[in-house]
Amino acid sequence: MNESDQKPIIILEDVCKFFGDFQALRNINLQMKKGERVVVCGPSGSGKSTMIRCINRLEEHDSGRIFVDGSELTSAVKDIDAVRREVGMVFQSFNLFPHLTVINNLMLALKLVRKAKKSKAREIAMHFLERVHIPEQADKWPSQLSGGQQQRVAIARALCMNPEVMLFDEPTSALDPEMISEVLDVMTDLANEGMTMMVITHEMGFARSIADSIVFMDYGEIIESNSPEEFFQNPRSDRTKLFLEQIL
Amino acid sequence: MVVLKVFAVSLVMAVAFGLIGSSAKLSKNRIANKIASAYTIVFRGVPELLVILIFYYGSAITLTSIGRAIYPQTQFVDIAPFWAGAFAIALIVGSYATETFRGAFLGVDPGIIEAARALGLSSLHTFFYIRVPQMWRLALPSVGNHMLSLMKDTALISIIGVEEILYVAEMATAVTLKPFTMYMIVAVIYLGITTVITFVMMALEKHSNRHLAGTR
Amino acid sequence: MTFDIYLIFDSIPKMLAGMGMTLQLLFLSSFLGLVLGIIILLMRISGRWYLSFPTFVYIYFFRGTPILVQIFVIYHGLPQFEAIRDSVFWPILREPFGCAILALTLNSGAYVSEILRGGYLGVDKGLHEAGKALGLSTPHRFIYVTTPIAVRLAIPAYSNDFISMLKATSLASTITLLDMTGAARTIVAKTFAPYEIFIAAAIIYLVMTWFFQRGFGLFEKRMSRYIKQ
């Protein structure tokens, strides 16, 4: 198709991050191509969340370099805002704006950041609400929706900004079991439509079905990175084997 | 009614001072912190009457000196007691509001701030569209109390000659020779206004919490 | 415009006299206000409507009207009635000092009773029940169990109210009393130096405020000895 398929859209080069004395990320090296689906897994405290949050500068990396769609991520505000427009994030705790209705949650960034007109913003917002199968909830308050519905709204909110990459930080970990599949279905649809995605999750069935590669992290390092078949069939490191035993 | 005008003007200024003060106190800028801290300590510790007197007479002296420097014939320049009084009261209530807003800002869910930043919203946008609406809901009960204090402080500006109800009552007493009646009327008027404010605050609290209707 | 430091030094004796008056007003009305507040609180939690209803009216009036108006009603207003002028209280009510104390006490009583009520409500119900189970009578329970804990809970709010009282004493200057604000105003009227004098007065108030806040802080620490930090 075009060369941008070949050039990586996200590059992490020797990235380190400290919280005081504690080293959360040790020399992370990772590359993601456009259209690729990467699933990141590992025990709690392994640095997965920290790493994904460095990509849109919710955390600041201490050393190494991060590139998103060709631009380097530095402390310059212009760069940060430019990156955040192209990178969408979905949080474990949804983080919907409680004082705005569902449709306004979606429209806010469109109006303020993309400077869209109200009618156009509403059109885009309704389109994505339909994509996540809950257009009828448009005028409700977030608190009136179930957890699964709220997370789908959160996904729609991120999609409204037309991002190049979507980051998911344990999107189903805060959900009751019966609502996990509705969210995973939406994410699977996204993957099938070709969205570039990085997903932190413990849902291994989901990982197996949509991931192009699975990255395992522990103690701030990337231990292993492989295609799903190789990862599950032939884990190379002992730590990976231990982790797989615990969750499967 | 002069009282209501002073109240409205003062309230607007006080809220502005409160927002500025609390932002200064919460910012990473050390100088802003210190200035805001000094502001709250001074204006919460000095009697309101004294603050009003300092502002009114002080500004008169300063302006007169400036006036004399420019036009030596100047006798006396002052700012209308209305504005000196309203400004002084706004500074006082603003210092209390600074503390209230500061606590309320700290109570805003940090997760939604992250969501706003992740969507690319600028700091300014995040402040006005996300932080302030959320903070307001938490601050509202205390704001009600601040409004009541503000209302009652307006009585003090009668001392510097603003023709609000207490001042008028003093004049009327000379005529009617019934001071008790006059002043009780003033008291009842204030009571009426504070009651209205209390009811308005209750309605506002219900309205601002309406988006929580679904939970619990 | 010059800043005349010597003016401040000259005024110090008058200011100190003013401070004396301020402190008198403060301590007397705070003490009486506390006593009144306790009585009002007991009336309020008595459960008998003929006792609690008057307290609602009283609190509503004194919290809903400005202190200045309350002072004026008492000082300027009461002499309107012959009954007052003939009564045994007249010597007190004729003097500005008496009126100021009365007004400040009544005002303080309203706020203090609410503060004490907050402290009272904050005491764990379980402690009441334990007292009952041990066979302690109601007055005993109240004195030995409820009160110490309620007092500790009420200290922060009470210290705020005490500081407010300090600031309220300045209003006594409007009825000719020479507290610090009153003293300052008379000096300024003679010398036309509002900045120096008023700011000096403001600084003294701030120092007093700081002093009392430290005191209350230490008192609260002492009452909280038994709490694990």
Side-chain angles (χ1 to χ4, degrees):
Chain A
M1 269 209 269
N2 33 14
E3 300 133 31
S4 58
D5 277 348
Q6 304 308 110
K7 213 172 78 171
I9 195 165
I10 293 186
I11 304 177
L12 276 78
E13 216 176 75
D14 290 326
V15 172
C16 295
K17 165 105 191 118
F18 290 86
F19 286 110
D21 286 333
F22 172 68
Q23 185 160 14
L25 294 177
R26 297 169 202 272
N27 292 97
I28 299 290
N29 282 290
L30 182 68
Q31 288 190 8
M32 260 182 82
K33 295 205 271 291
K34 193 163 162 64
E36 201 181 329
R37 280 92 57 159
V38 173
V39 167
V40 180
C41 62
S44 342
S46 52
K48 334 186 275 292
S49 221
T50 313
M51 176 182 78
I52 207 175
R53 286 157 60 91
C54 282
I55 297 178
N56 69 351
R57 202 115 181 132
L58 286 179
E59 301 285 354
E60 288 174 22
H61 56 282
D62 292 319
S63 68
R65 302 167 85 180
I66 299 183
F67 294 86
V68 176
D69 204 7
S71 354
E72 181 167 1
L73 201 50
T74 65
S75 40
V77 175
K78 260 191 15 237
D79 297 339
I80 301 178
D81 282 343
V83 164
R84 286 181 176 158
R85 266 178 252 136
E86 302 309 318
V87 175
M89 181 164 232
V90 176
F91 298 85
Q92 180 175 348
S93 46
F94 332 138
N95 288 340
L96 294 180
F97 304 130
H99 59 290
L100 300 176
T101 56
V102 162
I103 190 97
N104 283 329
N105 258 277
L106 269 59
M107 283 166 54
L108 184 71
L110 276 170
K111 288 194 289 189
L112 294 179
V113 180
R114 295 263 188 235
K115 314 257 199 289
K117 277 197 156 50
K118 193 155 163 209
S119 47
K120 185 93 182 100
R122 208 185 162 87
E123 219 184 284
I124 299 177
M126 282 310 293
H127 165 76
F128 283 107
L129 268 186
E130 277 155 18
R131 280 272 296 269
V132 299
H133 313 307
I134 40 173
E136 72 282 358
Q137 308 288 355
D139 292 312
K140 294 249 179 80
W141 302 106
S143 60
Q144 293 173 296
L145 271 55
S146 74
Q149 290 171 324
Q150 287 188 47
Q151 192 62 300
R152 284 189 276 156
V153 171
I155 296 176
R157 180 176 65 174
L159 289 175
C160 278
M161 297 296 285
N162 204 12
E164 298 285 328
V165 183
M166 284 282 281
L167 305 174
F168 293 83
D169 189 353
E170 298 205 39
T172 56
S173 298
L175 293 175
D176 288 337
E178 62 270 15
M179 294 192 258
I180 295 182
S181 54
E182 68 193 59
V183 174
L184 291 181
D185 285 344
V186 165
M187 289 168 67
T188 309
D189 286 342
L190 261 182
N192 290 335
E193 283 157 25
M195 172 64 77
T196 317
M197 292 162 66
M198 182 184 288
V199 183
I200 301 177
T201 185
H202 301 299
E203 298 291 323
M204 289 301 140
F206 170 76
R208 225 193 280 251
S209 66
I210 65 126
D212 294 315
S213 70
I214 303 193
V215 169
F216 174 68
M217 282 180 72
D218 199 1
Y219 290 114
E221 290 179 293
I222 294 183
I223 308 291
E224 224 176 290
S225 170
N226 229 330
S227 69
E229 306 84 47
E230 281 303 306
F231 184 82
F232 289 111
Q233 246 76 307
N234 302 324
R236 287 198 286 258
S237 143
D238 287 335
R239 282 195 267 179
T240 321
K241 291 187 194 143
L242 186 60
F243 177 72
L244 285 172
E245 266 165 49
Q246 285 169 334
I247 61 161
L248 288 178
Chain B
M1 284 198 82
V2 180
V3 188
L4 296 176
K5 270 193 352 196
V6 177
F7 177 71
V9 167
S10 232
L11 184 62
V12 167
M13 287 199 280
V15 169
F17 289 141
L19 283 176
I20 298 174
S22 53
S23 304
K25 259 202 148 162
L26 290 170
S27 86
K28 299 200 188 97
N29 188 327
R30 299 274 295 276
I31 304 178
N33 279 349
K34 294 259 158 64
I35 297 180
S37 294
Y39 169 62
T40 53
I41 292 175
V42 167
F43 283 93
R44 291 193 308 165
V46 177
E48 298 84 354
L49 183 59
L50 199 52
V51 174
I52 292 177
L53 291 173
I54 293 180
F55 265 93
Y56 179 59
Y57 290 112
S59 65
I61 295 276
T62 310
L63 288 175
T64 310
S65 308
I66 296 179
R68 289 234 180 95
I70 306 178
Y71 295 112
Q73 274 90 0
T74 317
Q75 293 280 43
F76 191 63
V77 183
D78 69 342
I79 30 176
F82 175 91
W83 289 103
F87 189 71
I89 296 179
L91 279 176
I92 295 171
V93 177
S95 68
Y96 286 99
T98 296
E99 282 302 299
T100 302
F101 290 167
R102 186 178 75 95
F105 274 127
L106 289 174
V108 176
D109 181 357
I112 62 172
I113 306 292
E114 291 201 331
R117 306 297 268 131
L119 282 168
L121 258 58
S122 71
S123 295
L124 209 59
H125 280 150
T126 313
F127 183 76
F128 282 110
Y129 286 92
I130 309 292
R131 269 196 221 270
V132 170
Q134 283 298 103
M135 173 279 279
W136 192 249
R137 185 175 62 83
L138 294 171
L140 209 46
S142 303
V143 166
N145 284 333
H146 295 328
M147 281 176 69
L148 292 173
S149 306
L150 212 167
M151 189 65 232
K152 293 188 283 180
D153 285 344
T154 59
L156 298 175
I157 58 177
S158 66
I159 305 291
I160 54 174
V162 179
E163 286 168 20
E164 50 81 67
I165 32 180
L166 189 56
Y167 187 83
V168 171
E170 281 181 82
M171 303 287 116
T173 305
V175 176
T176 66
L177 298 177
K178 285 197 190 310
F180 186 81
T181 320
M182 294 288 103
Y183 291 127
M184 275 308 275
I185 294 178
V186 171
V188 169
I189 294 178
Y190 270 108
L191 206 53
I193 300 179
T194 52
T195 309
V196 168
I197 293 179
T198 308
F199 278 121
V200 168
M201 290 314 295
M202 285 188 353
L204 274 180
E205 271 183 63
K206 264 180 92 176
H207 172 82
S208 76
N209 282 329
R210 73 200 191 290
H211 62 267
L212 292 177
T215 52
R216 280 157 243 158
Chain C
M1 185 186 83
T2 55
F3 195 83
D4 199 346
I5 303 274
Y6 296 111
L7 201 53
I8 300 185
F9 287 138
D10 286 336
S11 325
I12 285 188
K14 289 214 194 82
M15 299 279 266
L16 283 179
M19 190 163 104
M21 169 64 78
T22 296
L23 290 173
Q24 272 183 52
L25 286 167
L26 176 60
F27 284 118
L28 195 50
S29 55
S30 285
F31 175 71
L32 293 173
L34 189 56
V35 170
L36 182 59
I38 293 177
I39 297 175
I40 300 292
L41 174 68
L42 291 174
M43 283 170 68
R44 194 136 170 223
I45 58 178
S46 68
R48 291 164 219 208
W49 68 268
Y50 52 86
L51 286 180
S52 53
F53 181 69
T55 66
F56 286 129
V57 176
Y58 163 72
I59 294 176
Y60 177 58
F61 180 78
F62 278 95
R63 293 202 339 169
T65 54
I67 306 182
L68 191 59
V69 174
Q70 294 161 12
I71 292 178
F72 276 23
V73 167
I74 293 177
Y75 180 66
H76 293 295
L78 286 184
Q80 179 182 326
F81 300 113
E82 260 198 65
I84 303 268
R85 296 202 294 271
D86 292 338
S87 83
V88 65
F89 295 115
W90 183 233
I92 304 178
L93 294 176
R94 194 181 53 192
E95 295 299 312
F97 186 77
C99 290
I101 294 288
L102 182 60
L104 291 173
T105 300
L106 287 173
N107 190 42
S108 175
Y111 283 96
V112 168
S113 74
E114 280 297 291
I115 291 171
L116 292 177
R117 193 174 78 98
Y120 167 77
L121 290 175
V123 178
D124 205 297
K125 293 263 166 45
L127 296 173
H128 284 160
E129 295 186 343
K132 270 194 209 163
L134 284 169
L136 291 175
S137 68
T138 311
H140 275 164
R141 281 206 311 274
F142 199 76
I143 299 174
Y144 292 100
V145 178
T146 316
T147 307
I149 301 179
V151 165
R152 179 180 62 81
L153 290 173
I155 292 178
Y158 184 75
S159 70
N160 279 337
D161 183 74
F162 192 79
I163 306 289
S164 296
M165 258 301 111
L166 172 60
K167 299 198 288 178
T169 59
S170 68
L171 296 178
S173 64
T174 63
I175 54 173
T176 79
L177 280 173
L178 287 179
D179 71 310
M180 254 194 347
T181 308
R185 286 171 78 184
T186 44
I187 300 174
V188 170
K190 286 206 205 106
T191 62
F192 294 107
Y195 280 127
E196 292 90 321
I197 305 296
F198 282 144
I199 291 181
I203 294 178
I204 299 179
Y205 274 112
L206 282 175
V207 169
M208 287 203 283
T209 302
W210 176 83
F211 189 73
F212 288 124
Q213 279 176 336
R214 282 292 301 259
F216 275 109
L218 289 172
F219 183 54
E220 191 183 356
K221 271 222 176 85
R222 195 155 180 284
M223 293 292 284
S224 309
R225 267 171 312 169
Y226 58 86
I227 297 187
K228 211 163 75 153
Q229 292 299 335

